[in-house]
Structures are given as C-alpha cells and as structure tokens.
Amino acid sequence: MRGRRIAGEAAGIVLTAAVLVGYFTYPLARHPASLGRIDSGDGQFSIWNIGWVARAIATSRDAFDANIFHPHRETLAYSELNLGAGLLGVPAYLATGSAVAAHNWAVLIGLALSVIGMALLVRHLTGRSDAGLTAGILYSFCPYVFAHTAHTQLLMIFGVPWVMLAFHRFVGHPSVGRAIALGAALGVQALFCGYYGILAGILVTYAMLFFAVARGLWRRPSWWLLGGLAAAVPVAMVLPFFLPFLRLGGDGGFRTLAEARLYSAGWRAYLASSAWAHTWMLVYIERWREVLFPGFVSLALASTAVIAAFRQPNWLSGAMPNSRETVLFYAGLVLLAFWISLGPDAGLYALFYQIVPVFTLLRAPARFGLAVSFGLAVLSGIAAAALLARARPGWPIAAAIAGLAVLDLSMTMPFRTIPPPPRAYEVLASLPPAPVVEFPFFYRPEAFHFHARYVFNSIYHWRPLINGYSDHIPEDFREMAPLLASFPNPEGFIYLRERRARYVVIHPDGYRHKARLELQERLEAHRQYLYPHFIDSEAWLYQIVRWPPYTADVKPLLYPRGGGER
C-alpha cells in the first residue's frame, strides 16, 4: 500500500509538472520542431548549439570541434558548452533529425525537472508535495527564467533544487554515499550551466557552514571530510570538460571586474518582470539590466514564513520539524544571493573574484539573482505547507494557492514560427562536404552578431563554416573580416584558399541597392572561378572551382594563431 501511494504521488508530480510546462511555454510543446527564439543572435546561436551537441552525441562525433570559425579547433568552448542540454535533446534529434526539436525538447524537459525537483525538495522538508508544486511554479516559471528564453543554458535551472535536496538528505544522515550523491548533483548542474554550477557550489558551502554551526557539526572531523569528498566529486566530473576553457583563457576567456559591473543587478532589476500581472511596474522603474522580480505570491508567502519563524514558530512546526532553523537558513540564502547579484561595487562579488578562481570566467553577477527566487520559492513552500496542515480538506486551498501562483506569473511567450530555410541549403547539403563561407561578411565588431544567422542556418547542412558567432571571437577573424567584406576580391580568395573553402553562399537581401550592383560586377569579373549551383531570390550558392593567381601586391595570409586544419 505504501509503495502504491508513493508511486501514485510521484506520477501525480510528474504529470502536474508536464501540464504546467505545457501551459507556461504554450505553444512550444505543440510545435517543438517549428518554433524558436530566432529574433536575436543569442536565440539563433542557442538552437545551433543544442542541435550541434545533440547531433555530435547521436553520431559519436567530437562535440568540441564545432563547425564554426573554421579551421579553429574546440570552438564549442568559445561560449557555454551546453553539453547537458544537448544530451537532453538527443532523443528528439534521433526521432526528427531537427536541431530545433532537439533544442525545444531540452528546454521542456529541463523545466519539468525543475518543477519536480522543487516539489521533492519541499516535500522532503515539509512532507507535502502539494506545497512543493506551488514552490515549483514560483521557482521554475519566475520572470527571470522567461527573460532568458534565448539563452538555453540559463533555462537549465533544475539542478539547484536537486542539489539542495541532496544536501538536506546529507545533513540529515551524513554518509559517504550521500556525500557522493551531493557532489554528483553539483557536477550535473555545472555541466548544464557553469553559472548555476558555481551558484550551487556557493549555496552548498554556505549550507555546510550554517548547519555546522546550527547543529554543532563543526566539532566532527567526519563532517568536514565528507564535505571535502562532496567537493571533490564535481571537480572530477567537470575538469575534463573544463580543459578547453583553460586553454582558451589566455586568449580572451577571462573576465574583468569592469565587465562584471556592466552586468550587475540594481534595485530596478528586482522590480522588472514581463508577467501580465507585473508589467505596470515597468513604467516606474524606466530601465533595468536584468529581470529579477520574484512575483507577488512568492513575496507574500515567503514573508509569512519568515515572520512566523520569529513570532509564531509553533505555527510552522505543524508543517515541519526544525522549522525556524530551516527558515533562517533560506532567508540567509536569499540575502547572500541578493548581495552577490549586486556585483563588484557591493563588495562580496569582488571578494569572491579575488579568492575563487572560477569567478574570473563570469561576467554577469545579476544571474545570481536566480537564487533569490529559489530561496523565496522554498520559503513559500514552507508557508503553504503550514497553511495546508490546518486546512480540512486541504486540496481546495492547495489548488487556490497554486492557481494564484500561476496567474501571478503567466506571460506571453516570445517564441515565433521559424520560416523554411532557403532552398540553397538543401542543395548545399547534397554536395560533398567542404568548408563554406556566407555573405555579406559583417566586419565591424558591433555587427558580428549578424553572423549568428549563418551559424543557425548551418543546422540545415552542418558543413564547416568560416563564419562564426560566440562569446569569444578569434583575433584573426577580427583582422581578416574586412578583407572578406568586399568578396570576391584577390585578398578574399587568398584567405579562403588557405582555409580550403569550397562553397560560397550569398544572401542578396543583405546588400543595399548600390552594394548589390557592385557585388554583381565583381561576380561577373570572377565568374571563371565561381560555379553557380543554385540561384534564387533568397540565396546564391556558388562553388569555387579554381583559384585566381596571386598578384604582386597581395600578401598571402597565414593560418590563425592557435588554429589548424581539420
């Protein structure tokens, strides 16, 4: 009977999570292969990223040698790897062959795991899964999450509740097995999102210190030894995947405190939200750098838990043992995360930057504001459990609280229908594999993000791409981009010959009238070197069939520093 009850409760949590994800992301679940955030370079890049990793895993390829910035190697490490999200997308990629479907499946599964993790965490603390589902709504669909639908790694928030669930199990009965489980949870979160891996590590460190003092565990050497074991496990898990970042570090991988200041939160960020119930506040704050408002329901319930912990602890004790200790812990967690999110000028982030090496890889302290929403959601779950413990029957109250949370956080999703690709890519995919370059070749640094369009379009052919878009832009790309801006030209042909390019895709709509006429004149002058495979109004596909002879005034170019041919 107990086994059936647990199985039924687990099935209810999973089903409810699926329904919630379907509602909040509607209509993504209905059209997973045709919707996406293609209105921004980051959104286009994210779809390519997940699709590339899913394809690499499905076909046993080296995921790190991505097809951008050819002939550079390990170009996946030029930004967040998204290995975990790519792994989630493998089933959809195998079923459909679509990078878009792989990306959206990873997002949907990640959000469902977040709801489930929060429900289990609050259930572990209070014994009530209905209160846990309310906490899951408040955390998994908070405004911060949907402000980052173009950044897949920032949607992989599910690891934080699973990490804290593993920690509470560990602190309840410290053992080698539970220490390893805690470390494994930390490692998984780091592989899904580096920012959140660091955030979760800070939360666990704070938790180790808090409970060491609160329960007198600091006197036990085993507590610190097991804590060290828990810390060693994620290091062992993440280090092999972190090595490419270390190799890149000397070439632009490290961040400065000046950059961190640009991406720090302020008080306005904690009032910013695009939820229907919150948008009226945007008129008063005028500008903001991040979206961190947790929601009115979350603030009300969390405040109730904190006030009760100080004034009426017996009210909470009916829902959970050690209620004051747990509430104080999560209230402190909220304050800690809030302080870090304010960036270097608030002091704590600058201190961590000096003493924690991985902070030199970060540039957006405001993202630690996610932990503020997390802590408030847990406190909200505790308050909801206390309310439900006194309700008879409890399900109408539970449904009302969850319904209010849903209404509080509902918003319009920014997903758009992805138009069919130009037919030139279908022809390109049928040709023998070889490097391709796309034009216009945007050469000004402020226009580099337009190359994301070509990166996204490579999901339709997966050929090595001389173009690229990422957090890190190779120096030789910056230097040589102006030479390709006026292709076809002698310098451009030399550059492409050194990279053994074979195909050229030109998007005529990317040129203004005069520039298009000049382009057509250059193409006519070089027609003996370029064979037209496919021409229509959207894209012109050429193959380089021979190379022009060098001229005396054109200096041959070298391979990029640190680069090499595949």
Side-chain angles (χ1 to χ4, degrees):
M1 291 293 292
R2 183 173 181 272
R4 282 192 219 140
R5 182 178 63 82
I6 293 174
E9 188 176 4
I13 291 173
V14 172
L15 179 60
T16 304
V19 171
L20 288 169
V21 170
Y23 167 76
F24 275 100
T25 63
Y26 184 84
L28 195 64
R30 287 190 60 189
H31 308 285
S34 59
L35 294 178
R37 282 295 309 275
I38 58 169
D39 56 328
S40 71
D42 288 345
Q44 294 169 337
F45 179 83
S46 289
I47 294 173
W48 164 85
N49 190 316
I50 304 304
W52 172 265
V53 174
R55 175 177 177 269
I57 295 173
T59 58
S60 301
R61 298 173 182 267
D62 185 352
F64 277 93
D65 270 337
N67 70 322
I68 58 174
F69 294 118
H70 177 82
H72 282 270
R73 308 299 299 268
E74 296 185 332
T75 53
L76 192 70
Y78 285 6
S79 63
E80 187 101 20
L81 297 177
N82 278 320
L83 293 176
L87 182 62
L88 290 182
V90 168
Y93 188 83
L94 288 173
T96 65
S98 167
V100 176
H103 172 273
N104 291 337
W105 179 254
V107 170
L108 295 172
I109 294 298
L111 292 174
L113 288 173
S114 177
V115 176
I116 295 168
M118 282 297 290
L120 294 179
L121 171 59
V122 173
R123 185 189 185 282
H124 177 82
L125 295 174
T126 68
R128 300 198 65 104
S129 56
D130 47 7
L133 286 170
T134 293
I137 295 169
L138 295 174
Y139 171 65
S140 305
F141 310 113
C142 65
Y144 167 88
V145 172
F146 289 129
H148 291 284
T149 51
H151 309 99
T152 308
Q153 71 277 16
L154 299 183
L155 300 179
M156 299 292 114
I157 63 172
F158 67 87
V160 176
W162 288 94
V163 165
M164 294 312 299
L165 174 60
F167 174 81
H168 283 291
R169 287 176 53 80
F170 169 73
V171 75
H173 299 283
S175 67
V176 171
R178 293 191 174 189
I180 293 175
L182 172 58
L186 281 166
V188 168
Q189 177 62 96
L191 290 175
F192 274 84
C193 179
Y195 271 93
Y196 300 158
I198 295 171
L199 182 151
I202 291 173
L203 298 187
V204 169
T205 301
Y206 160 69
M208 291 287 295
L209 296 174
F210 180 94
F211 286 98
V213 174
R215 299 186 181 181
L217 298 172
W218 62 272
R219 302 184 186 91
R220 301 180 187 177
S222 61
W223 174 254
W224 303 111
L225 290 174
L226 291 173
L229 174 61
V233 171
V235 172
M237 290 175 61
V238 173
L239 186 59
F241 304 100
F242 189 64
L243 292 177
F245 287 101
L246 294 179
R247 288 192 284 269
L248 180 64
D251 191 23
F254 294 131
R255 306 296 186 179
T256 65
L257 287 178
E259 288 180 280
R261 288 187 180 92
L262 296 176
Y263 298 96
S264 298
W267 67 267
R268 289 180 173 86
Y270 282 95
L271 293 177
S273 167
S274 59
W276 299 329
H278 310 155
T279 52
W280 59 270
M281 296 188 296
L282 300 180
V283 176
Y284 299 98
I285 62 176
E286 295 182 351
R287 63 186 185 279
W288 55 92
R289 294 177 179 174
E290 185 57 275
V291 176
L292 295 174
F293 184 65
F296 293 115
V297 173
S298 184
L299 287 173
L301 287 174
S303 299
T304 300
V306 173
I307 293 171
F310 285 97
R311 295 189 176 182
Q312 292 181 309
N314 291 335
W315 185 76
L316 291 175
S317 61
M320 60 183 297
N322 301 318
S323 56
R324 174 177 285 182
E325 175 189 76
T326 305
V327 169
L328 290 177
F329 165 71
Y330 278 99
L333 182 154
V334 168
L335 293 175
L336 176 67
F338 175 77
W339 191 1
I340 296 174
S341 74
L342 298 180
D345 291 341
L348 188 58
Y349 185 92
L351 175 63
F352 283 142
Y353 184 89
Q354 298 299 328
I355 64 178
V356 183
V358 292
F359 265 67
T360 60
L361 294 171
L362 307 180
R363 69 171 180 176
R367 292 176 183 174
F368 286 87
L370 172 69
V372 175
S373 292
F374 168 73
L376 292 175
V378 175
L379 291 171
S380 297
I382 294 172
L387 288 169
L388 296 173
R390 288 161 174 76
R392 294 292 183 273
W395 69 265
I397 304 300
I401 295 173
L404 286 174
V406 170
L407 290 175
D408 188 27
L409 300 179
S410 294
M411 64 183 72
T412 302
M413 289 296 101
F415 304 118
R416 299 291 182 266
T417 300
I418 299 174
R423 287 190 57 202
Y425 292 121
E426 181 181 345
V427 177
L428 177 60
S430 68
L431 298 174
V436 59
V437 59
E438 301 210 32
F439 295 92
F441 204 94
F442 303 98
Y443 65 95
R444 293 189 176 92
E446 62 271 19
F448 282 166
H449 64 278
F450 289 117
H451 287 274
R453 172 188 177 184
Y454 307 142
V455 172
F456 171 78
N457 286 340
S458 75
I459 69 175
Y460 300 114
H461 59 78
W462 294 121
R463 301 297 186 249
L465 187 65
I466 291 173
N467 310 77
Y469 172 77
S470 198
D471 287 343
H472 170 71
I473 304 295
E475 189 60 32
D476 74 290
F477 183 92
R478 298 176 184 274
E479 294 173 353
M480 303 308 173
L483 299 180
L484 287 177
S486 56
F487 183 86
N489 57 353
E491 296 88 352
F493 271 110
I494 295 174
Y495 181 78
L496 295 180
R497 183 174 185 176
E498 290 177 347
R499 281 144 185 81
R500 300 191 179 173
R502 183 180 297 178
Y503 306 113
V504 174
V505 177
I506 299 174
H507 300 271
D509 62 351
Y511 294 85
R512 296 177 180 175
H513 178 69
K514 181 179 179 181
R516 187 185 300 188
L517 293 177
E518 294 173 349
L519 168 67
Q520 290 172 328
E521 290 176 1
R522 295 196 302 273
L523 287 171
E524 178 63 23
H526 294 85
R527 63 179 180 175
Q528 60 181 311
Y529 309 112
L530 297 167
Y531 172 77
H533 271 291
F534 183 85
I535 303 291
D536 69 2
S537 60
E538 290 186 284
W540 307 340
L541 171 62
Y542 294 90
Q543 179 175 338
I544 302 175
V545 292
R546 62 179 60 88
W547 300 100
Y550 291 156
T551 59
D553 59 341
V554 177
K555 182 179 179 180
L557 308 176
L558 302 176
Y559 281 109
R561 292 188 296 273
E565 289 191 82
R566 286 184 174 81

